[in-house]
Amino acid sequence: MKEIIIATRNKGKVNEFIDFFKPYGIKVQSLLEIAEQLPDVEETGDSFAENATLKAEQIAELLNRPVLADDSGLVVDALHGAPGIYSARYAGEEKSDEANNQKLLKNLQEVPQDKRTARFVCVLAIAVPGEETTLYRGVCEGKIALNPKGTNGFGYDPLFIPNGYQQTMAELSSAEKNQISHRSNAIKQLKNWEKLT
Ligand SMILES: O=c1[nH]c(=O)c2ncn([C@@H]3O[C@H](COP(=O)(O)OP(=O)(O)OP(=O)(O)O)[C@@H](O)[C@H]3O)c2[nH]1
Ligand SMILES: [Mg+2]
């Protein structure tokens, strides 16, 4: 069976990649299965693109094989783009989705509904040893809810209402999320993913 390595330890992302590649008969392996003992790649870049590149290139070099990485996050207009590239660790290094959501709601307490516009951004990097890394960007526009709702997905999904919907991303099924998400919009642009297998 063909196999793709994704340089992530985020189970929520992994589940979405599994769904995307299943129809092609491709197995998705993440750092959770293949490289538990590796130290985390430090996300020292100042953009999604830089951090996706760091993760993909460092793991591709370590494993000496092609690797895909995903750097993503939530960009909130009323917060001048925060949490952005710091989305995973917004409320601290322990990376708690619950604490991140609480902090986001608190920081938007005074912001009325029509000013709560936001977008999820995902940049995918394909690193192949000896080749130049390629990047693909996907976006999903929406707004931040007043209260968390729903239990599907991960991260800020309970607070994110995609444009054109009344429900939060966490109230949508995984199939519905995967049709409109920033991650799916980035994946749809991958033209050269065969070189990952
Ligand atoms: O509600 C959400 N639905 C999504 O679809 C989504 N995609 C990203 N995010 C948020 O952005 C961080 C990524 O940060 P990130 O790219 O550094 O990933 P991470 O640190 O979780 O794992 P890794 O891939 O770096 O190992 C995540 O933790 C989440 O907080 C999402 N939230
Ligand atoms: Mg990370």
Side-chain angles (χ1 to χ4, degrees):
M1 194 180 205
K2 288 185 178 175
E3 198 173 280
I4 286 182
I5 309 271
I6 319 237
T8 183
R9 285 197 166 78
N10 181 318
K11 191 80 191 105
K13 290 184 189 177
V14 175
N15 287 338
E16 291 180 15
F17 283 111
I18 289 174
D19 284 349
F20 285 119
F21 287 110
K22 208 185 298 162
Y24 302 97
I26 289 168
K27 182 172 174 191
V28 167
Q29 293 272 66
S30 76
L31 301 184
L32 295 168
E33 298 89 39
I34 57 154
E36 231 178 314
Q37 73 288 1
L38 288 184
D40 270 342
V41 174
E42 277 198 65
E43 296 176 29
T44 53
D46 50 24
S47 64
F48 293 114
E50 280 180 48
N51 284 335
T53 303
L54 282 171
K55 289 187 266 192
E57 289 184 353
Q58 284 183 33
I59 301 299
E61 188 173 332
L62 272 165
L63 302 178
N64 192 30
R65 61 152 289 156
V67 163
L68 178 70
D70 165 318
D71 201 66
S72 45
L74 180 65
V75 174
V76 180
D77 293 322
L79 302 176
H80 312 289
I85 60 168
Y86 305 106
S87 292
R89 41 196 155 129
Y90 191 37
E93 282 303 324
E94 73 282 5
K95 291 193 181 173
S96 152
D97 286 345
E98 169 69 22
N100 288 341
N101 281 318
Q102 289 307 323
K103 180 171 177 182
L104 179 64
L105 277 183
K106 187 159 178 285
N107 287 346
L108 289 175
Q109 223 164 294
E110 312 293 326
V111 181
Q113 267 173 345
D114 63 323
K115 300 250 159 44
R116 297 169 80 95
T117 51
R119 63 207 52 77
F120 274 129
V121 178
C122 172
V123 175
L124 297 177
I126 293 184
V128 181
E131 291 183 23
E132 199 156 325
T133 296
T134 49
L135 297 170
Y136 306 86
R137 187 184 179 88
V139 176
C140 179
E141 297 282 346
K143 59 178 187 295
I144 305 302
L146 297 171
N147 303 296
K149 279 196 196 125
T151 52
N152 296 328
F154 68 98
Y156 300 90
D157 281 340
L159 286 178
F160 186 82
I161 303 173
N163 282 355
Y165 289 78
Q166 305 297 324
Q167 307 107 300
T168 68
M169 204 75 125
E171 293 180 290
L172 301 182
S173 68
S174 57
E176 285 172 311
K177 176 179 177 183
N178 289 346
Q179 272 174 21
I180 59 165
S181 78
H182 49 314
R183 187 158 296 105
S184 73
N185 287 332
I187 291 174
K188 284 171 198 156
Q189 295 174 53
L190 295 180
K191 291 182 187 71
N192 52 348
W193 58 262
E194 272 92 355
K195 66 161 71 168
L196 283 164
T197 62

mmCIF file of all heavy atoms in Angstrom, residues 14-53:
data_model
loop_
_atom_site.group_PDB
_atom_site.id
_atom_site.type_symbol
_atom_site.label_atom_id
_atom_site.label_comp_id
_atom_site.label_asym_id
_atom_site.label_seq_id
_atom_site.Cartn_x
_atom_site.Cartn_y
_atom_site.Cartn_z
ATOM 1 N N VAL A 14 -4.375 14.696 11.507
ATOM 2 C CA VAL A 14 -4.106 13.359 10.951
ATOM 3 C C VAL A 14 -5.409 12.725 10.476
ATOM 4 O O VAL A 14 -5.475 12.192 9.364
ATOM 5 C CB VAL A 14 -3.426 12.443 12.007
ATOM 6 C CG1 VAL A 14 -3.257 11.032 11.461
ATOM 7 C CG2 VAL A 14 -2.081 13.005 12.417
ATOM 8 N N ASN A 15 -6.459 12.807 11.300
ATOM 9 C CA ASN A 15 -7.742 12.201 10.914
ATOM 10 C C ASN A 15 -8.267 12.800 9.613
ATOM 11 O O ASN A 15 -8.827 12.094 8.773
ATOM 12 C CB ASN A 15 -8.770 12.390 12.032
ATOM 13 C CG ASN A 15 -8.476 11.501 13.213
ATOM 14 O OD1 ASN A 15 -7.794 10.481 13.077
ATOM 15 N ND2 ASN A 15 -8.958 11.887 14.384
ATOM 16 N N GLU A 16 -8.084 14.105 9.433
ATOM 17 C CA GLU A 16 -8.566 14.730 8.195
ATOM 18 C C GLU A 16 -7.739 14.268 6.992
ATOM 19 O O GLU A 16 -8.286 13.982 5.925
ATOM 20 C CB GLU A 16 -8.563 16.254 8.338
ATOM 21 C CG GLU A 16 -9.630 16.691 9.341
ATOM 22 C CD GLU A 16 -9.718 18.192 9.575
ATOM 23 O OE1 GLU A 16 -9.163 18.970 8.774
ATOM 24 O OE2 GLU A 16 -10.358 18.581 10.569
ATOM 25 N N PHE A 17 -6.418 14.156 7.167
ATOM 26 C CA PHE A 17 -5.591 13.675 6.043
ATOM 27 C C PHE A 17 -5.941 12.226 5.700
ATOM 28 O O PHE A 17 -5.951 11.854 4.518
ATOM 29 C CB PHE A 17 -4.093 13.805 6.379
ATOM 30 C CG PHE A 17 -3.585 15.214 6.250
ATOM 31 C CD1 PHE A 17 -3.221 15.936 7.375
ATOM 32 C CD2 PHE A 17 -3.493 15.820 5.009
ATOM 33 C CE1 PHE A 17 -2.760 17.242 7.264
ATOM 34 C CE2 PHE A 17 -3.029 17.128 4.880
ATOM 35 C CZ PHE A 17 -2.664 17.840 6.016
ATOM 36 N N ILE A 18 -6.207 11.409 6.731
ATOM 37 C CA ILE A 18 -6.615 10.013 6.468
ATOM 38 C C ILE A 18 -7.852 10.011 5.567
ATOM 39 O O ILE A 18 -7.901 9.305 4.557
ATOM 40 C CB ILE A 18 -6.883 9.269 7.799
ATOM 41 C CG1 ILE A 18 -5.563 9.019 8.529
ATOM 42 C CG2 ILE A 18 -7.633 7.952 7.547
ATOM 43 C CD1 ILE A 18 -5.714 8.425 9.925
ATOM 44 N N ASP A 19 -8.849 10.841 5.924
ATOM 45 C CA ASP A 19 -10.082 10.903 5.118
ATOM 46 C C ASP A 19 -9.794 11.334 3.681
ATOM 47 O O ASP A 19 -10.363 10.793 2.740
ATOM 48 C CB ASP A 19 -11.062 11.912 5.728
ATOM 49 C CG ASP A 19 -11.752 11.355 6.961
ATOM 50 O OD1 ASP A 19 -11.621 10.137 7.216
ATOM 51 O OD2 ASP A 19 -12.412 12.140 7.676
ATOM 52 N N PHE A 20 -8.914 12.327 3.513
ATOM 53 C CA PHE A 20 -8.636 12.835 2.164
ATOM 54 C C PHE A 20 -7.937 11.813 1.288
ATOM 55 O O PHE A 20 -8.222 11.716 0.096
ATOM 56 C CB PHE A 20 -7.758 14.092 2.230
ATOM 57 C CG PHE A 20 -8.510 15.315 2.664
ATOM 58 C CD1 PHE A 20 -8.157 15.989 3.815
ATOM 59 C CD2 PHE A 20 -9.591 15.785 1.927
ATOM 60 C CE1 PHE A 20 -8.856 17.110 4.235
ATOM 61 C CE2 PHE A 20 -10.290 16.902 2.332
ATOM 62 C CZ PHE A 20 -9.927 17.569 3.491
ATOM 63 N N PHE A 21 -7.015 11.040 1.857
ATOM 64 C CA PHE A 21 -6.201 10.165 1.012
ATOM 65 C C PHE A 21 -6.780 8.745 0.896
ATOM 66 O O PHE A 21 -6.342 7.974 0.051
ATOM 67 C CB PHE A 21 -4.748 10.140 1.502
ATOM 68 C CG PHE A 21 -4.019 11.423 1.199
ATOM 69 C CD1 PHE A 21 -3.652 12.306 2.213
ATOM 70 C CD2 PHE A 21 -3.727 11.775 -0.119
ATOM 71 C CE1 PHE A 21 -3.004 13.501 1.927
ATOM 72 C CE2 PHE A 21 -3.079 12.972 -0.416
ATOM 73 C CZ PHE A 21 -2.711 13.837 0.610
ATOM 74 N N LYS A 22 -7.770 8.438 1.740
ATOM 75 C CA LYS A 22 -8.371 7.091 1.704
ATOM 76 C C LYS A 22 -8.890 6.718 0.310
ATOM 77 O O LYS A 22 -8.623 5.614 -0.177
ATOM 78 C CB LYS A 22 -9.505 7.003 2.737
ATOM 79 C CG LYS A 22 -9.725 5.585 3.253
ATOM 80 C CD LYS A 22 -10.922 5.497 4.189
ATOM 81 C CE LYS A 22 -10.752 6.347 5.438
ATOM 82 N NZ LYS A 22 -12.004 6.608 6.144
ATOM 83 N N PRO A 23 -9.628 7.616 -0.364
ATOM 84 C CA PRO A 23 -10.160 7.239 -1.683
ATOM 85 C C PRO A 23 -9.077 6.863 -2.697
ATOM 86 O O PRO A 23 -9.360 6.189 -3.681
ATOM 87 C CB PRO A 23 -10.890 8.508 -2.154
ATOM 88 C CG PRO A 23 -11.157 9.279 -0.911
ATOM 89 C CD PRO A 23 -10.059 8.950 0.043
ATOM 90 N N TYR A 24 -7.842 7.306 -2.478
ATOM 91 C CA TYR A 24 -6.749 6.975 -3.399
ATOM 92 C C TYR A 24 -6.002 5.713 -2.961
ATOM 93 O O TYR A 24 -4.985 5.348 -3.549
ATOM 94 C CB TYR A 24 -5.760 8.139 -3.492
ATOM 95 C CG TYR A 24 -6.407 9.421 -3.946
ATOM 96 C CD1 TYR A 24 -6.804 10.384 -3.019
ATOM 97 C CD2 TYR A 24 -6.648 9.662 -5.301
ATOM 98 C CE1 TYR A 24 -7.420 11.559 -3.429
ATOM 99 C CE2 TYR A 24 -7.262 10.831 -5.715
ATOM 100 C CZ TYR A 24 -7.648 11.767 -4.768
ATOM 101 O OH TYR A 24 -8.254 12.922 -5.178
ATOM 102 N N GLY A 25 -6.485 5.075 -1.882
ATOM 103 C CA GLY A 25 -5.815 3.873 -1.384
ATOM 104 C C GLY A 25 -4.459 4.171 -0.784
ATOM 105 O O GLY A 25 -3.540 3.348 -0.844
ATOM 106 N N ILE A 26 -4.328 5.359 -0.193
ATOM 107 C CA ILE A 26 -3.031 5.753 0.369
ATOM 108 C C ILE A 26 -3.122 5.808 1.893
ATOM 109 O O ILE A 26 -4.054 6.379 2.464
ATOM 110 C CB ILE A 26 -2.603 7.121 -0.191
ATOM 111 C CG1 ILE A 26 -2.227 6.934 -1.656
ATOM 112 C CG2 ILE A 26 -1.436 7.698 0.594
ATOM 113 C CD1 ILE A 26 -2.067 8.215 -2.380
ATOM 114 N N LYS A 27 -2.129 5.195 2.521
ATOM 115 C CA LYS A 27 -2.077 5.156 3.973
ATOM 116 C C LYS A 27 -1.359 6.406 4.484
ATOM 117 O O LYS A 27 -0.312 6.782 3.958
ATOM 118 C CB LYS A 27 -1.312 3.894 4.388
ATOM 119 C CG LYS A 27 -1.218 3.695 5.865
ATOM 120 C CD LYS A 27 -0.625 2.316 6.150
ATOM 121 C CE LYS A 27 -0.388 2.172 7.635
ATOM 122 N NZ LYS A 27 0.414 0.980 7.913
ATOM 123 N N VAL A 28 -1.903 7.026 5.508
ATOM 124 C CA VAL A 28 -1.296 8.226 6.087
ATOM 125 C C VAL A 28 -0.603 7.851 7.395
ATOM 126 O O VAL A 28 -1.206 7.244 8.270
ATOM 127 C CB VAL A 28 -2.383 9.291 6.356
ATOM 128 C CG1 VAL A 28 -1.842 10.404 7.226
ATOM 129 C CG2 VAL A 28 -2.908 9.849 5.037
ATOM 130 N N GLN A 29 0.663 8.188 7.493
ATOM 131 C CA GLN A 29 1.422 7.952 8.711
ATOM 132 C C GLN A 29 1.876 9.297 9.260
ATOM 133 O O GLN A 29 2.335 10.151 8.502
ATOM 134 C CB GLN A 29 2.666 7.112 8.399
ATOM 135 C CG GLN A 29 2.374 5.709 7.954
ATOM 136 C CD GLN A 29 2.264 4.759 9.129
ATOM 137 O OE1 GLN A 29 1.348 4.879 9.939
ATOM 138 N NE2 GLN A 29 3.190 3.842 9.228
ATOM 139 N N SER A 30 1.753 9.491 10.563
ATOM 140 C CA SER A 30 2.187 10.759 11.154
ATOM 141 C C SER A 30 3.324 10.498 12.130
ATOM 142 O O SER A 30 3.689 9.352 12.391
ATOM 143 C CB SER A 30 1.025 11.410 11.888
ATOM 144 O OG SER A 30 0.819 10.748 13.122
ATOM 145 N N LEU A 31 3.838 11.563 12.716
ATOM 146 C CA LEU A 31 4.912 11.419 13.698
ATOM 147 C C LEU A 31 4.414 10.711 14.957
ATOM 148 O O LEU A 31 5.217 10.188 15.728
ATOM 149 C CB LEU A 31 5.479 12.801 14.061
ATOM 150 C CG LEU A 31 6.038 13.591 12.874
ATOM 151 C CD1 LEU A 31 6.656 14.897 13.347
ATOM 152 C CD2 LEU A 31 7.073 12.763 12.105
ATOM 153 N N LEU A 32 3.102 10.664 15.145
ATOM 154 C CA LEU A 32 2.547 9.953 16.301
ATOM 155 C C LEU A 32 2.847 8.459 16.198
ATOM 156 O O LEU A 32 3.029 7.787 17.199
ATOM 157 C CB LEU A 32 1.033 10.167 16.387
ATOM 158 C CG LEU A 32 0.578 11.596 16.667
ATOM 159 C CD1 LEU A 32 -0.921 11.743 16.452
ATOM 160 C CD2 LEU A 32 0.967 12.010 18.078
ATOM 161 N N GLU A 33 2.890 7.926 14.964
ATOM 162 C CA GLU A 33 3.149 6.490 14.805
ATOM 163 C C GLU A 33 4.619 6.199 14.529
ATOM 164 O O GLU A 33 5.171 5.260 15.076
ATOM 165 C CB GLU A 33 2.341 5.899 13.635
ATOM 166 C CG GLU A 33 0.834 5.981 13.774
ATOM 167 C CD GLU A 33 0.279 7.261 13.206
ATOM 168 O OE1 GLU A 33 0.771 7.695 12.163
ATOM 169 O OE2 GLU A 33 -0.631 7.843 13.829
ATOM 170 N N ILE A 34 5.232 6.999 13.658
ATOM 171 C CA ILE A 34 6.546 6.564 13.154
ATOM 172 C C ILE A 34 7.728 7.183 13.880
ATOM 173 O O ILE A 34 8.835 6.698 13.750
ATOM 174 C CB ILE A 34 6.719 6.879 11.656
ATOM 175 C CG1 ILE A 34 6.517 8.369 11.426
ATOM 176 C CG2 ILE A 34 5.793 6.055 10.795
ATOM 177 C CD1 ILE A 34 7.232 8.843 10.215
ATOM 178 N N ALA A 35 7.502 8.251 14.609
ATOM 179 C CA ALA A 35 8.680 8.951 15.140
ATOM 180 C C ALA A 35 8.382 9.560 16.496
ATOM 181 O O ALA A 35 8.725 10.692 16.779
ATOM 182 C CB ALA A 35 9.123 10.025 14.149
ATOM 183 N N GLU A 36 7.760 8.752 17.328
ATOM 184 C CA GLU A 36 7.338 9.236 18.643
ATOM 185 C C GLU A 36 8.491 9.837 19.428
ATOM 186 O O GLU A 36 8.318 10.775 20.192
ATOM 187 C CB GLU A 36 6.750 8.067 19.430
ATOM 188 C CG GLU A 36 5.391 8.365 20.009
ATOM 189 C CD GLU A 36 4.843 7.155 20.741
ATOM 190 O OE1 GLU A 36 4.933 6.046 20.175
ATOM 191 O OE2 GLU A 36 4.367 7.349 21.844
ATOM 192 N N GLN A 37 9.676 9.265 19.223
ATOM 193 C CA GLN A 37 10.814 9.684 20.050
ATOM 194 C C GLN A 37 11.524 10.936 19.520
ATOM 195 O O GLN A 37 12.367 11.490 20.199
ATOM 196 C CB GLN A 37 11.811 8.518 20.203
ATOM 197 C CG GLN A 37 12.639 8.165 18.971
ATOM 198 C CD GLN A 37 11.833 7.469 17.859
ATOM 199 O OE1 GLN A 37 10.632 7.255 17.975
ATOM 200 N NE2 GLN A 37 12.505 7.147 16.765
ATOM 201 N N LEU A 38 11.163 11.385 18.299
ATOM 202 C CA LEU A 38 11.825 12.582 17.750
ATOM 203 C C LEU A 38 11.418 13.826 18.531
ATOM 204 O O LEU A 38 10.276 13.956 18.949
ATOM 205 C CB LEU A 38 11.410 12.807 16.294
ATOM 206 C CG LEU A 38 11.939 11.875 15.221
ATOM 207 C CD1 LEU A 38 11.471 12.369 13.857
ATOM 208 C CD2 LEU A 38 13.443 11.807 15.275
ATOM 209 N N PRO A 39 12.360 14.767 18.719
ATOM 210 C CA PRO A 39 11.967 16.024 19.361
ATOM 211 C C PRO A 39 11.048 16.803 18.422
ATOM 212 O O PRO A 39 11.102 16.617 17.204
ATOM 213 C CB PRO A 39 13.290 16.758 19.546
ATOM 214 C CG PRO A 39 14.224 16.164 18.540
ATOM 215 C CD PRO A 39 13.761 14.755 18.290
ATOM 216 N N ASP A 40 10.195 17.676 18.992
ATOM 217 C CA ASP A 40 9.330 18.517 18.162
ATOM 218 C C ASP A 40 10.175 19.462 17.318
ATOM 219 O O ASP A 40 11.185 19.975 17.790
ATOM 220 C CB ASP A 40 8.409 19.370 19.051
ATOM 221 C CG ASP A 40 7.096 18.654 19.342
ATOM 222 O OD1 ASP A 40 6.779 17.699 18.608
ATOM 223 O OD2 ASP A 40 6.416 19.058 20.294
ATOM 224 N N VAL A 41 9.763 19.683 16.075
ATOM 225 C CA VAL A 41 10.415 20.708 15.254
ATOM 226 C C VAL A 41 10.020 22.064 15.842
ATOM 227 O O VAL A 41 8.848 22.308 16.106
ATOM 228 C CB VAL A 41 9.936 20.614 13.789
ATOM 229 C CG1 VAL A 41 10.489 21.766 12.968
ATOM 230 C CG2 VAL A 41 10.327 19.278 13.181
ATOM 231 N N GLU A 42 10.993 22.912 16.078
ATOM 232 C CA GLU A 42 10.670 24.232 16.637
ATOM 233 C C GLU A 42 10.081 25.130 15.565
ATOM 234 O O GLU A 42 10.667 25.288 14.488
ATOM 235 C CB GLU A 42 11.933 24.868 17.211
ATOM 236 C CG GLU A 42 12.223 24.383 18.612
ATOM 237 C CD GLU A 42 13.188 25.307 19.319
ATOM 238 O OE1 GLU A 42 12.813 26.478 19.553
ATOM 239 O OE2 GLU A 42 14.310 24.857 19.588
ATOM 240 N N GLU A 43 8.910 25.692 15.870
ATOM 241 C CA GLU A 43 8.228 26.547 14.897
ATOM 242 C C GLU A 43 8.683 27.990 15.097
ATOM 243 O O GLU A 43 8.011 28.811 15.705
ATOM 244 C CB GLU A 43 6.717 26.368 15.033
ATOM 245 C CG GLU A 43 6.313 24.933 14.685
ATOM 246 C CD GLU A 43 4.840 24.635 14.879
ATOM 247 O OE1 GLU A 43 4.017 25.549 14.757
ATOM 248 O OE2 GLU A 43 4.525 23.469 15.163
ATOM 249 N N THR A 44 9.865 28.271 14.569
ATOM 250 C CA THR A 44 10.494 29.569 14.817
ATOM 251 C C THR A 44 10.239 30.575 13.688
ATOM 252 O O THR A 44 10.716 31.698 13.745
ATOM 253 C CB THR A 44 12.017 29.405 14.973
ATOM 254 O OG1 THR A 44 12.492 28.686 13.831
ATOM 255 C CG2 THR A 44 12.363 28.629 16.231
ATOM 256 N N GLY A 45 9.510 30.178 12.662
ATOM 257 C CA GLY A 45 9.236 31.086 11.550
ATOM 258 C C GLY A 45 8.236 32.154 11.939
ATOM 259 O O GLY A 45 7.603 32.066 12.997
ATOM 260 N N ASP A 46 8.093 33.185 11.071
ATOM 261 C CA ASP A 46 7.058 34.167 11.397
ATOM 262 C C ASP A 46 5.927 34.185 10.381
ATOM 263 O O ASP A 46 5.223 35.183 10.235
ATOM 264 C CB ASP A 46 7.622 35.560 11.705
ATOM 265 C CG ASP A 46 8.571 36.025 10.650
ATOM 266 O OD1 ASP A 46 8.454 35.542 9.521
ATOM 267 O OD2 ASP A 46 9.434 36.881 10.967
ATOM 268 N N SER A 47 5.728 33.047 9.707
ATOM 269 C CA SER A 47 4.555 32.897 8.840
ATOM 270 C C SER A 47 4.181 31.418 8.805
ATOM 271 O O SER A 47 4.991 30.551 9.163
ATOM 272 C CB SER A 47 4.880 33.381 7.419
ATOM 273 O OG SER A 47 5.875 32.555 6.846
ATOM 274 N N PHE A 48 2.949 31.141 8.366
ATOM 275 C CA PHE A 48 2.528 29.748 8.199
ATOM 276 C C PHE A 48 3.475 29.062 7.209
ATOM 277 O O PHE A 48 3.876 27.918 7.407
ATOM 278 C CB PHE A 48 1.096 29.685 7.667
ATOM 279 C CG PHE A 48 0.056 30.196 8.626
ATOM 280 C CD1 PHE A 48 -0.667 31.346 8.339
ATOM 281 C CD2 PHE A 48 -0.222 29.519 9.815
ATOM 282 C CE1 PHE A 48 -1.643 31.818 9.205
ATOM 283 C CE2 PHE A 48 -1.185 29.983 10.693
ATOM 284 C CZ PHE A 48 -1.912 31.143 10.390
ATOM 285 N N ALA A 49 3.831 29.767 6.141
ATOM 286 C CA ALA A 49 4.678 29.169 5.098
ATOM 287 C C ALA A 49 6.044 28.775 5.663
ATOM 288 O O ALA A 49 6.548 27.677 5.391
ATOM 289 C CB ALA A 49 4.836 30.148 3.933
ATOM 290 N N GLU A 50 6.631 29.661 6.457
ATOM 291 C CA GLU A 50 7.961 29.349 7.020
ATOM 292 C C GLU A 50 7.889 28.152 7.958
ATOM 293 O O GLU A 50 8.759 27.278 7.944
ATOM 294 C CB GLU A 50 8.514 30.559 7.781
ATOM 295 C CG GLU A 50 9.120 31.614 6.878
ATOM 296 C CD GLU A 50 9.661 32.787 7.692
ATOM 297 O OE1 GLU A 50 10.378 32.563 8.679
ATOM 298 O OE2 GLU A 50 9.332 33.937 7.335
ATOM 299 N N ASN A 51 6.848 28.118 8.797
ATOM 300 C CA ASN A 51 6.750 27.010 9.752
ATOM 301 C C ASN A 51 6.423 25.689 9.059
ATOM 302 O O ASN A 51 6.949 24.642 9.449
ATOM 303 C CB ASN A 51 5.709 27.331 10.834
ATOM 304 C CG ASN A 51 6.248 28.334 11.850
ATOM 305 O OD1 ASN A 51 7.460 28.442 12.033
ATOM 306 N ND2 ASN A 51 5.361 29.060 12.489
ATOM 307 N N ALA A 52 5.588 25.727 8.031
ATOM 308 C CA ALA A 52 5.299 24.498 7.280
ATOM 309 C C ALA A 52 6.585 23.991 6.627
ATOM 310 O O ALA A 52 6.868 22.782 6.625
ATOM 311 C CB ALA A 52 4.221 24.757 6.230
ATOM 312 N N THR A 53 7.375 24.908 6.092
ATOM 313 C CA THR A 53 8.639 24.536 5.446
ATOM 314 C C THR A 53 9.605 23.921 6.456
ATOM 315 O O THR A 53 10.236 22.884 6.191
ATOM 316 C CB THR A 53 9.279 25.777 4.784
ATOM 317 O OG1 THR A 53 8.343 26.321 3.854
ATOM 318 C CG2 THR A 53 10.566 25.424 4.061
#
